[in-house]
Amino acid sequence: MVNRHYHQQPVFAYTISGKWGYLEHDWVATAGDWVYEAPGESHTLVAYEHTEPMKVTFNVTGPLIWLDENGDPDGTFDVFDYIALCRKHYDEVGIGSAYVDGLIR
């Protein structure tokens, strides 16, 4: 699950496998489905039980804006946060955080 948030830009998603959706909507995406997220619409992403793991490509520009229980902004998460998580993980598994630099142009 990814906590409730919204995006300031459109998001496009293509489902490779698994089953997922947003708690705020009744649709469910499975392999082969494209999903368009309108900017500014809050949602809570959830991966549902399925025989295949959820694999989705998300084209996201800009940060996720986290929302609190009242729907008010409560922080952000952007590409720099993802990079920091990758560096930490690569250090922990022995690859080394410097490897991440080779993945960034």
Side-chain angles (χ1 to χ4, degrees):
M1 178 184 291
V2 176
N3 290 341
R4 193 166 144 209
H5 64 281
Y6 74 91
H7 307 271
Q8 296 172 320
Q9 303 294 326
V11 173
F12 301 90
Y14 177 73
T15 308
I16 298 165
S17 65
K19 183 174 160 182
W20 68 281
Y22 299 137
L23 295 180
E24 296 79 9
H25 295 279
D26 60 1
W27 57 263
V28 174
T30 58
D33 289 341
W34 281 97
V35 174
Y36 167 78
E37 294 178 24
E41 182 180 295
S42 69
H43 52 275
T44 308
L45 188 150
V46 63
Y48 296 109
E49 292 223 15
H50 192 272
T51 56
E52 299 277 328
M54 177 192 154
K55 293 182 184 176
V56 181
T57 61
F58 289 98
N59 183 342
V60 179
T61 56
L64 280 76
I65 311 297
W66 298 119
L67 299 172
D68 66 15
E69 61 278 350
N70 298 315
D72 295 320
D74 189 30
T76 62
F77 194 86
D78 65 15
V79 67
F80 302 105
D81 296 302
Y82 284 112
I83 291 170
L85 287 174
C86 288
R87 284 196 166 106
K88 181 177 184 291
H89 173 72
Y90 281 33
D91 270 342
E92 289 172 355
V93 299
I95 296 171
S97 61
Y99 183 80
V100 175
D101 297 333
L103 304 173
I104 301 169
R105 295 191 270 165

